[in-house]
Amino acid sequence: MSESVTKPRILTRQVNIGGVSVGGDAPVRVQSMTTTKTGDVEATLTQIRELATAGAEIVRVTVNDDAAADALPKIIAETKIPLVADIHYQHTLALRAIDAGIAKLRINPGNIGSKDNIKEVVKAASDAGVPIRIGVNKGSLHKRYKDMEPVAAIIQSATDELELFDQLNFKDVLVSLKSSEPMEVIQACRQWAKISDVPQHLGVTEAGTLLAGTSRSVAAMSVLLAEGIGDTIRISLAADPVEEVNAAFHMLQALGLRDGFARVVACPTCGRAEVDVVALAAKVEKLAKDLPSDKVVAVMGCIVNGPGEAKAADLGIAAGKSKVAIYRKGELLCSIDKADLDRVLMEEIERLK
Amino acid sequence: MSESVTKPRILTRQVNIGGVSVGGDAPVRVQSMTTTKTGDVEATLTQIRELATAGAEIVRVTVNDDAAADALPKIIAETKIPLVADIHYQHTLALRAIDAGIAKLRINPGNIGSKDNIKEVVKAASDAGVPIRIGVNKGSLHKRYKDMEPVAAIIQSATDELELFDQLNFKDVLVSLKSSEPMEVIQACRQWAKISDVPQHLGVTEAGTLLAGTSRSVAAMSVLLAEGIGDTIRISLAADPVEEVNAAFHMLQALGLRDGFARVVACPTCGRAEVDVVALAAKVEKLAKDLPSDKVVAVMGCIVNGPGEAKAADLGIAAGKSKVAIYRKGELLCSIDKADLDRVLMEEIERLK
């Protein structure tokens, strides 16, 4: 694949988040957020590790009470990837997160309180070299924007907050312009890209369940990414957050923006299928998860596209009525009985590692 | 939402598929395909009905053997939405599908055989007023294109086939330019939109399992749809085909191209959540499926965006520590005990119908 399908990234200023660059010429970074009570150190650490293993490069944790703030030093000490403290209402929790050594803050201009609060947080962040994301959500805009159109209100909230940061000479900043309505996200992020070089964290907030949330998030983000907009992303799902990371990499890989997983090509199954492709593809996807991302494994239920796709893959499986053809890098390796498929599959995937 | 986020649709010539217009100024149509053996009339009819109920406007069935061809008249007689016969290898099955009263044929130029075969099919389709989709798949290209780059080969295969159709003065045609590689789909479909007004059926073939396939398909299609490309779509998943239809409408609705479902706004859950949002959102999504598509139900696990989102919704649920606030069109209706949530939820959703 030589030609890019996306426009060149719109150049934003780069921010360093605990050693991970975001914006500028850095790759689009994948984030997620824990769903545990942050005060529960073990549960939170376990989930952070799962997210990191899935490929998350930055993980956000809520810091919503004293227990969460108390837990932060222990969590940070045990975590290799940068963590972000999600702050609402109580700016003092932001100060405690900075003290604990957090890599980044997310504050919500809709609820962080007075200018004095913000100044105090910005001063502490500046001293500690901690970047801040101004995280605007349509659902929690300050009441002063309540009479504006949603997109204009989102942009204005971010602009006003950024102006204050600028007055304080604090440049280590990112923005997110979120709504639960994908079209509002697209409009707001497009407008922002025209008026500011502050890097953008993309997200459709409260997007929904696994299928609905993925469809809606990927729709909005793909349109933006194709236009060169977006420096880091979080797909928000009402589901296991590991799926947020999986969906993000599938999308970025589909658009040629990141390496993702070894690709499992699986036919959608139809009346032609001679094998349970759904079950087989799910099994292969699991086995293939640790393969290098340039590998392709094809699982085909019949002979229409089967041999063609299977031949183009590093490992190909094309099922016929009783036999299954196994291809290795385009060469027919053997034709095996269906009963032997599981064993041969595991052996062949091991060979690709 | 006044401003469109997509470019105006590129005007293609319109084709009528059993009463459903595709291309031109018609809405982007949602298709799916059965996974049953077409020869099994009852199973196939059951699945077609499920797909139609989910919103599929056109459904494809494989016609891959005599049993399938024999079953077609019975299936067509019992089906209200237009059906498409998927034909590979045996052009005589296309002729039988036309005789049975099929609404559209899909033929694969890579395997339909000689020009004489095609001429015979086109003649019969022309006489019966049956449109044909030229369905090109990278995985089953004719061997004459084997030395070309994939995208060029896909385009050339469609162009050659269309030239033959043109010679036969057959204009009732659509194309699909599919690959399992989303970037190749984007490139091929963009090129086609520049050189032809033949309507395009979009699809990433063999896209994968539920999450991978949805992410990859929506990524490619959203980019194309945002550019005004695409007249009908099928999301191919190695999963229940009803999910293909659900994902398609979620995507089209996200881009403002179709009405879809009543929108269930659900927070992604984090350490702030005071309720099991994943389970609750899944339950609400099911209950809300039959609501008018302009309705919005918000399920929020905490108080950050909760009240804001819940207030903007027709029905809003924002969970606190022990009580749950219920909003109706922006007005706080009541604050109930968590134990009463299921009952109140069902009553309130019924009220919206």
Side-chain angles (χ1 to χ4, degrees):
Chain A
M1 187 59 45
S2 49
E3 195 192 334
S4 170
V5 298
T6 58
K7 288 190 183 155
R9 286 266 299 288
I10 293 171
L11 205 66
T12 53
R13 71 169 90 138
Q14 197 168 73
V15 173
N16 185 300
I17 299 170
V20 174
S21 54
V22 175
D25 61 356
V28 179
R29 300 295 183 185
V30 174
Q31 306 201 25
S32 185
M33 184 169 181
T34 53
T35 59
T36 55
K37 300 278 172 203
T38 307
D40 184 341
V41 174
E42 280 317 306
T44 303
L45 280 173
T46 300
Q47 200 172 50
I48 291 169
R49 283 181 198 123
E50 286 169 4
L51 292 169
T53 301
E57 297 165 289
I58 299 166
V59 169
R60 182 160 45 125
V61 299
T62 184
V63 181
N64 60 326
D65 55 20
D66 284 337
D70 288 343
L72 274 188
K74 290 171 244 172
I75 293 169
I76 292 166
E78 295 290 323
T79 302
K80 284 177 186 148
I81 60 172
L83 297 183
V84 182
D86 198 50
I87 307 289
H88 298 270
Y89 307 109
Q90 295 170 264
H91 80 290
T92 51
L93 292 172
L95 303 175
R96 292 188 60 189
I98 294 170
D99 279 344
I102 202 77
K104 179 180 143 197
L105 292 175
R106 180 267 168 124
I107 62 166
N108 182 336
N111 61 30
I112 196 66
S114 70
K115 280 195 185 180
D116 284 343
N117 289 355
I118 297 165
K119 281 182 190 170
E120 207 179 332
V121 172
V122 168
K123 172 76 170 60
S126 182
D127 290 346
V130 172
I132 300 177
R133 165 159 67 96
I134 299 172
V136 180
N137 270 26
K138 187 180 80 165
S140 52
L141 285 166
H142 193 277
K143 61 178 185 291
R144 77 174 69 99
Y145 307 108
K146 73 177 164 45
D147 293 330
M148 296 177 74
E149 286 297 311
V151 173
I154 292 167
I155 295 280
Q156 195 59 52
S157 173
T159 306
D160 290 347
E161 197 75 359
L162 192 64
E163 200 173 285
L164 181 57
F165 279 48
D166 272 343
Q167 286 166 12
L168 301 168
N169 203 26
F170 186 84
K171 302 286 185 195
D172 227 9
V173 66
L174 305 91
V175 298
S176 57
L177 309 167
K178 297 193 185 184
S179 163
S180 61
E181 171 53 72
M183 290 193 280
E184 291 173 353
V185 172
I186 293 173
Q187 289 169 340
C189 295
R190 278 177 177 163
Q191 282 189 32
W192 188 263
K194 283 185 191 152
I195 60 174
S196 171
D197 69 345
V198 170
Q200 290 200 51
H201 164 121
L202 304 185
V204 176
T205 194
E206 293 99 27
T209 56
L210 187 69
L211 188 81
T214 300
S215 304
R216 292 157 45 76
S217 297
V218 173
M221 289 189 201
S222 296
V223 169
L224 290 166
L225 291 165
E227 295 172 9
I229 298 168
D231 301 290
T232 178
I233 63 171
R234 179 196 174 198
I235 293 182
S236 296
L237 301 176
D240 181 342
V242 167
E243 300 290 19
E244 301 185 346
V245 179
N246 290 337
F249 276 107
H250 283 305
M251 172 182 69
L252 292 172
Q253 185 174 28
L255 298 174
L257 293 170
R258 293 293 301 264
D259 285 342
F261 310 108
R263 197 147 59 79
V264 178
V265 175
C267 82
T269 114
C270 70
R272 291 182 183 274
E274 307 283 2
V275 70
D276 181 353
V277 177
V278 176
L280 185 59
K283 186 188 293 178
V284 170
E285 199 174 272
K286 218 162 185 179
L287 289 171
K289 190 114 203 250
D290 299 329
L291 289 181
S293 64
D294 59 344
K295 300 292 180 190
V296 177
V297 181
V299 182
M300 310 300 295
C302 85
I303 53 168
V304 171
N305 296 312
E309 289 283 356
K311 276 169 122 172
D314 293 283
L315 171 62
I317 305 144
K321 277 202 195 317
S322 61
K323 292 281 189 176
V324 180
I326 306 284
Y327 297 82
R328 214 187 258 172
K329 284 185 191 292
E331 299 293 324
L332 181 65
L333 179 70
C334 56
S335 186
I336 61 168
D337 287 332
K338 276 191 182 167
D340 294 329
L341 182 55
D342 278 18
R343 182 183 53 77
V344 174
L345 199 58
M346 285 186 62
E347 287 170 10
E348 287 300 314
I349 286 176
E350 273 307 310
R351 285 190 76 259
L352 290 175
K353 283 184 181 171
Chain B
M1 186 60 45
S2 49
E3 194 191 335
S4 170
V5 298
T6 59
K7 288 189 183 156
R9 286 266 299 288
I10 293 171
L11 205 67
T12 54
R13 70 168 91 138
Q14 197 168 70
V15 173
N16 184 301
I17 298 171
V20 175
S21 54
V22 175
D25 60 357
V28 179
R29 300 294 184 185
V30 173
Q31 306 201 24
S32 184
M33 185 170 181
T34 54
T35 59
T36 55
K37 299 280 173 200
T38 307
D40 185 342
V41 174
E42 279 318 307
T44 303
L45 279 173
T46 300
Q47 200 173 49
I48 291 169
R49 283 181 198 124
E50 287 169 4
L51 292 169
T53 301
E57 297 165 289
I58 300 168
V59 169
R60 182 159 45 124
V61 300
T62 183
V63 182
N64 60 328
D65 55 19
D66 284 336
D70 288 343
L72 274 188
K74 288 171 246 173
I75 293 169
I76 292 166
E78 296 289 323
T79 302
K80 285 179 187 146
I81 61 171
L83 298 183
V84 183
D86 198 50
I87 307 290
H88 298 271
Y89 307 110
Q90 294 170 265
H91 80 290
T92 51
L93 292 172
L95 303 175
R96 292 186 62 187
I98 294 170
D99 280 344
I102 202 80
K104 178 179 144 197
L105 292 175
R106 179 270 169 124
I107 62 166
N108 182 335
N111 61 31
I112 196 67
S114 69
K115 280 195 184 179
D116 285 343
N117 289 356
I118 297 165
K119 282 181 189 169
E120 210 180 329
V121 172
V122 168
K123 172 76 170 59
S126 183
D127 291 347
V130 172
I132 300 176
R133 165 159 67 98
I134 299 172
V136 180
N137 270 27
K138 185 179 82 162
S140 52
L141 286 166
H142 193 277
K143 62 178 184 290
R144 77 174 70 97
Y145 307 107
K146 74 177 164 43
D147 293 331
M148 296 175 74
E149 288 297 312
V151 174
I154 291 167
I155 295 280
Q156 195 60 53
S157 173
T159 306
D160 290 348
E161 198 75 359
L162 192 63
E163 200 174 284
L164 181 56
F165 279 46
D166 272 342
Q167 286 166 14
L168 300 169
N169 202 27
F170 186 85
K171 302 286 183 196
D172 227 9
V173 66
L174 305 90
V175 298
S176 58
L177 309 167
K178 298 194 185 182
S179 163
S180 61
E181 170 53 73
M183 289 194 281
E184 291 173 353
V185 172
I186 293 173
Q187 290 170 340
C189 295
R190 279 177 177 165
Q191 282 190 33
W192 188 263
K194 283 185 191 155
I195 60 174
S196 172
D197 68 347
V198 169
Q200 290 200 51
H201 164 121
L202 304 185
V204 176
T205 194
E206 292 98 28
T209 55
L210 188 70
L211 187 81
T214 299
S215 305
R216 292 156 46 75
S217 297
V218 173
M221 289 188 200
S222 296
V223 169
L224 290 166
L225 291 165
E227 295 171 9
I229 298 168
D231 300 290
T232 178
I233 63 170
R234 178 197 174 198
I235 292 182
S236 298
L237 301 176
D240 182 343
V242 167
E243 300 290 18
E244 301 184 347
V245 179
N246 289 338
F249 276 106
H250 284 304
M251 173 182 68
L252 292 171
Q253 186 174 25
L255 298 175
L257 293 170
R258 292 294 301 264
D259 285 342
F261 310 107
R263 197 146 61 77
V264 177
V265 175
C267 83
T269 113
C270 71
R272 288 182 186 274
E274 307 284 1
V275 68
D276 181 352
V277 177
V278 176
L280 185 58
K283 185 188 295 179
V284 170
E285 199 174 273
K286 218 161 183 177
L287 288 171
K289 189 114 202 251
D290 298 330
L291 289 181
S293 65
D294 59 343
K295 301 290 181 193
V296 176
V297 181
V299 182
M300 309 300 295
C302 86
I303 52 168
V304 171
N305 297 310
E309 289 283 356
K311 275 170 125 171
D314 293 282
L315 171 62
I317 304 143
K321 276 202 198 316
S322 61
K323 292 278 188 178
V324 180
I326 305 284
Y327 296 83
R328 214 187 260 172
K329 285 184 191 293
E331 298 294 325
L332 181 65
L333 179 70
C334 56
S335 188
I336 60 170
D337 285 333
K338 275 190 181 166
D340 293 329
L341 181 55
D342 278 18
R343 182 183 53 75
V344 174
L345 198 56
M346 284 186 64
E347 287 170 8
E348 287 299 314
I349 286 177
E350 272 308 310
R351 285 190 78 259
L352 290 175
K353 283 185 184 172

